[in-house]
Amino acid sequence: MELFDVVIIGGGPIGIACGLEAKKQGLSYLILEKGPIANSLFNYPVNMQFFSSSEKLEIDGIPFISNEAKPRRNEALEYYRRIVTSNELKINLFERVEKVEKQDDKFTVKTSKSSYVGSNIILATGFYDLPNKINVPGEDSPKVSHYYNDPHFYASQKLAIVGASNSAIDAALECYRKGSEVTLIIRGPEVGQRVKYWVRPDIINRIKEGSIKAYYNSTIKEIRETEIDIKTSEGKVTLENDFVLALTGYMPNFDFLKKLGIELSKDNKLLPTYNPDTMESNIKGLYLAGVICGGMETHKWFIENSRIHAPLIIKAILEQ
């Protein structure tokens, strides 16, 4: 098996940035991605607009030109795809990593298609794969989804959306404007404070005028074929319902991290152990990059503030 200086697990923006930096510094590398280029971004809602402006999504100083100051999903996919292709990055797509084993000072990476050996590993897998479940009867029903794609699907339907973050609020507004009868079920007393500042007034006004119904301090308790039960501060409410979007956030694959031997904090944040100067984990030669560094605090790391991980890691590898 070919020996690589570094094997990068994850072909999203930060994994791509690590590949660019490795190539620039003359290291042999391989990026492994279980889906298409920037798989997580590909699975974002079709109309999604970033909170960050385009220049803050740039990697390796390559200009990102968008139609608006804050680019949309399709523009980001174009940008990162062009970086991969124009720089001829070595990336294997639709190849899932199944196991990583360390023996002596080398890592063996076993995938759905082959095996590879690396002197170093960079884990840049993000957090979008595993949804935070609401754990209620009926959650596994076909009418329930933890991912939102296109509002057209929900036109003329009674749609319940669980959550109060950007993903839930974007979905509520888009689906309402495509003709859905939207009900928001919000655990807290208000719409989330981290909702995009140009979107938050919109959803608040739609709720005030009655276009979108919102239940605050409420949780969904049961999902049935044509109804849902909601626990509110005033008691149980039963609503007619066609579909449920449970947009309650996502988490890294902690089981995979544990199998690698990465230590996690003992509190509910589950923060992985790493050196912030080098991004090296408690396992020598295994580095963390991107939002995976935040454990359950997935809102703290974005493309714009984790781009720096790539040069930090490659510098540390070169200085070994």
Side-chain angles (χ1 to χ4, degrees):
M1 288 185 287
E2 182 179 356
L3 173 64
F4 294 95
D5 292 321
V6 58
V7 176
I8 301 161
I9 303 175
I14 305 305
I16 292 169
C18 291
L20 277 173
E21 190 68 20
K23 181 177 182 180
K24 188 165 63 175
Q25 298 299 332
L27 296 177
S28 61
Y29 71 94
L30 174 65
I31 304 172
L32 296 170
E33 169 54 64
K34 70 175 184 182
I37 296 169
N39 181 65
S40 291
L41 295 187
F42 175 76
N43 286 299
Y44 281 2
V46 292
N47 299 319
M48 195 273 291
Q49 186 172 28
F50 285 85
F51 192 97
S52 304
S53 54
S54 57
E55 73 273 8
K56 292 185 177 180
L57 299 177
E58 294 174 353
I59 54 177
D60 199 40
I62 300 169
F64 182 174
I65 309 301
S66 57
N67 290 326
E68 302 172 71
K70 300 178 187 300
R72 296 185 178 273
R73 166 189 172 274
N74 64 317
E75 294 175 307
L77 290 175
E78 177 76 13
Y79 173 71
Y80 295 116
R81 189 187 79 245
R82 290 294 295 271
I83 287 177
V84 168
T85 56
S86 62
N87 287 278
E88 298 181 335
L89 291 184
K90 187 173 181 59
I91 181 170
N92 290 7
L93 302 172
F94 300 98
E95 186 166 352
R96 180 184 292 272
V97 172
E98 296 177 341
K99 194 174 186 180
V100 179
E101 296 176 323
K102 186 178 185 183
Q103 187 171 8
D104 299 325
D105 59 347
K106 299 291 186 291
F107 296 88
T108 299
V109 181
K110 297 180 179 180
T111 74
S112 55
K113 296 181 180 180
S114 188
S115 295
Y116 309 93
V117 178
S119 298
N120 300 277
I121 298 289
I122 300 175
L123 197 60
T125 51
F127 68 95
Y128 200 57
D129 289 335
L130 299 174
N132 294 320
K133 295 293 188 74
I134 55 177
N135 298 315
V136 300
E139 185 173 8
D140 294 331
S141 163
K143 67 185 275 186
V144 181
S145 177
H146 295 88
Y147 295 89
Y148 164 66
N149 185 22
D150 193 318
H152 174 83
F153 183 84
Y154 301 103
S156 301
Q157 299 296 290
K158 293 178 173 62
L159 173 64
I161 300 177
V162 185
S165 63
N166 277 298
S167 56
I169 300 310
D170 283 347
L173 289 168
E174 288 187 4
C175 292
Y176 153 67
R177 292 193 166 107
K178 296 300 181 184
S180 302
E181 184 180 320
V182 177
T183 300
L184 272 169
I185 303 167
I186 298 174
R187 180 182 295 273
E190 61 179 355
V191 172
Q193 288 292 333
R194 290 195 295 269
V195 169
K196 289 173 280 197
Y197 63 84
W198 65 95
V199 173
R200 199 167 188 273
D202 189 2
I203 188 67
I204 290 172
N205 286 330
R206 301 294 73 75
I207 292 170
K208 283 182 177 178
E209 72 186 16
S211 299
I212 294 174
K213 176 68 176 177
Y215 288 93
Y216 297 108
N217 300 307
S218 301
T219 55
I220 197 164
K221 301 308 293 182
E222 185 174 348
I223 300 166
R224 297 184 294 277
E225 185 176 358
T226 61
E227 295 178 329
I228 59 171
D229 289 338
I230 305 170
K231 180 183 179 182
T232 75
S233 56
E234 299 176 359
K236 186 180 84 169
V237 174
T238 298
L239 298 178
E240 293 183 6
N241 174 261
D242 298 307
F243 290 99
V244 175
L245 280 171
L247 302 179
T248 49
Y250 309 92
M251 70 178 82
N253 189 336
F254 292 115
D255 287 340
F256 184 58
L257 295 183
K258 291 175 184 176
K259 287 177 183 177
L260 290 173
I262 295 173
E263 296 174 355
L264 304 176
S265 64
K266 303 301 183 183
D267 55 23
N268 57 9
K269 296 179 181 179
L270 297 176
L271 298 169
T273 299
Y274 65 92
N275 180 340
D277 295 324
T278 64
M279 307 308 296
E280 189 173 30
S281 71
N282 57 286
I283 301 170
K284 183 173 174 55
L286 196 160
Y287 299 82
L288 305 180
V291 296
I292 197 170
C293 299
M296 287 299 294
E297 296 185 320
T298 54
H299 61 279
K300 289 194 172 181
W301 288 101
F302 306 95
I303 298 170
E304 66 176 75
N305 67 354
S306 56
R307 297 176 295 178
I308 188 62
H309 293 171
L312 284 177
I313 293 170
I314 300 304
K315 181 175 181 288
I317 290 173
L318 290 169
E319 291 177 349
Q320 287 177 353

